[in-house]
Amino acid sequence: MNTPVSAVAVITGGASGIGWKTAERLLETRLDVACALVDLNEAQSAELVERFGEDRVRFVQCDVTDQSAVEAAASQIEEWNRPISMLVTCAGIQIVGDSFELSAEKWQKVLGVHLNGTFYWCQAAGRAMRDGGGGSIVTVGSIAQDFGFPGRAAYTTSKMGIAGLTRVLAVEWAPAGIRVNQVIPGMVETPLFKRAAAQGIVDAEAAALEHALGRLGTTGELAEAIVFLLSDQSSFITGELVHVDGGFRAQRLE
């Protein structure tokens, strides 16, 4: 007998990488949860639909940099007639370049996806959570926000901005029963990282050694941390920036 679906988890950037893996883990461990995968491209979404059914998985196309598109997508998800009670903001982009030459267009593009997109979705999903009695939000940062990596001015700035936003919303929305935390990954074997390695932007072997554990993280490891922060097991945790980085930060701070 199937368990009735009682809540919806919205995952931006959900069609691949950490977002996709988080959806998979939620669907495997929470039979009462459905996932709305928000992305520009459908990518792997069809696999989850096939495995778990259209009643529990939906793909919603959305440009997270467009506030009106975000609001329309949130309304589309709410038409599923189940309350949005979880949000994970995984949508990401990385443009690397000399800060002397970084164009306004590239700067705005990175901040648009990370910072604006995170705020727009927190606002849209947060309203639904407020009206539904509460929920949990996990934003996704980066180890880059803790250090000055050359060529990543827009990326680092946007991720630091998300950290500030996370803390503000955690305090502001606590009375509404909404918890907000940030996961800060080390370097993870995502499609984004693999593309950067293929383009020579990053040396994968050298990157692995930057972590105390001597390896890169996996999308599954990040998904487990996110699922924990979404769950009632973390009911007394909010406003936290949680490093899941294989000791990257600890090793750098020695």
Side-chain angles (χ1 to χ4, degrees), residues 43-189:
Q44 294 176 279
S45 299
E47 181 183 334
L48 292 183
V49 174
E50 183 177 346
R51 286 170 57 189
F52 298 99
E54 292 184 353
D55 192 51
R56 294 191 63 206
V57 186
R58 290 194 182 181
F59 172 75
V60 180
Q61 190 170 44
C62 176
D63 177 358
V64 300
T65 70
D66 183 339
Q67 188 172 27
S68 61
V70 169
E71 291 173 353
S75 295
Q76 182 182 342
I77 293 166
E78 288 177 321
E79 289 174 2
W80 209 348
N81 294 322
R82 292 141 183 180
I84 296 174
S85 62
M86 304 176 212
L87 170 68
V88 184
T89 58
C90 284
I93 185 175
Q94 181 160 202
I95 296 176
V96 178
D98 186 335
S99 298
F100 283 124
E101 307 300 333
L102 185 65
S103 68
E105 180 183 6
K106 290 180 178 179
W107 172 267
Q108 294 292 350
K109 187 172 184 178
V110 175
L111 265 68
V113 172
H114 292 154
L115 190 52
N116 295 351
T118 295
F119 175 67
Y120 296 155
W121 266 107
C122 283
Q123 188 177 61
R127 288 169 177 158
M129 293 177 192
R130 174 195 61 191
D131 296 342
S136 181
I137 296 172
V138 178
T139 65
V140 178
S142 167
I143 197 67
Q145 71 194 58
D146 292 329
F147 302 99
F149 289 103
R152 290 168 174 78
Y155 186 83
T156 296
T157 299
S158 64
K159 292 297 188 177
M160 289 189 74
I162 292 171
L165 176 64
T166 298
R167 284 175 164 152
V168 169
L169 296 184
V171 174
E172 187 176 336
W173 292 356
I178 301 170
R179 296 186 299 108
V180 190
N181 293 289
Q182 184 187 43
V183 161
I184 303 176
M187 298 185 200
V188 180
E189 292 182 289

Side-chain angles (χ1 to χ4, degrees), residues 173-219:
W173 292 356
I178 301 170
R179 296 186 299 108
V180 190
N181 293 289
Q182 184 187 43
V183 161
I184 303 176
M187 298 185 200
V188 180
E189 292 182 289
T190 63
L192 186 65
F193 181 88
K194 291 175 182 177
R195 284 196 297 273
Q199 295 167 5
I201 295 172
V202 61
D203 182 327
E205 291 186 9
L209 296 177
E210 291 283 338
H211 304 74
L213 293 180
R215 64 175 177 84
L216 302 175
T218 68
T219 55

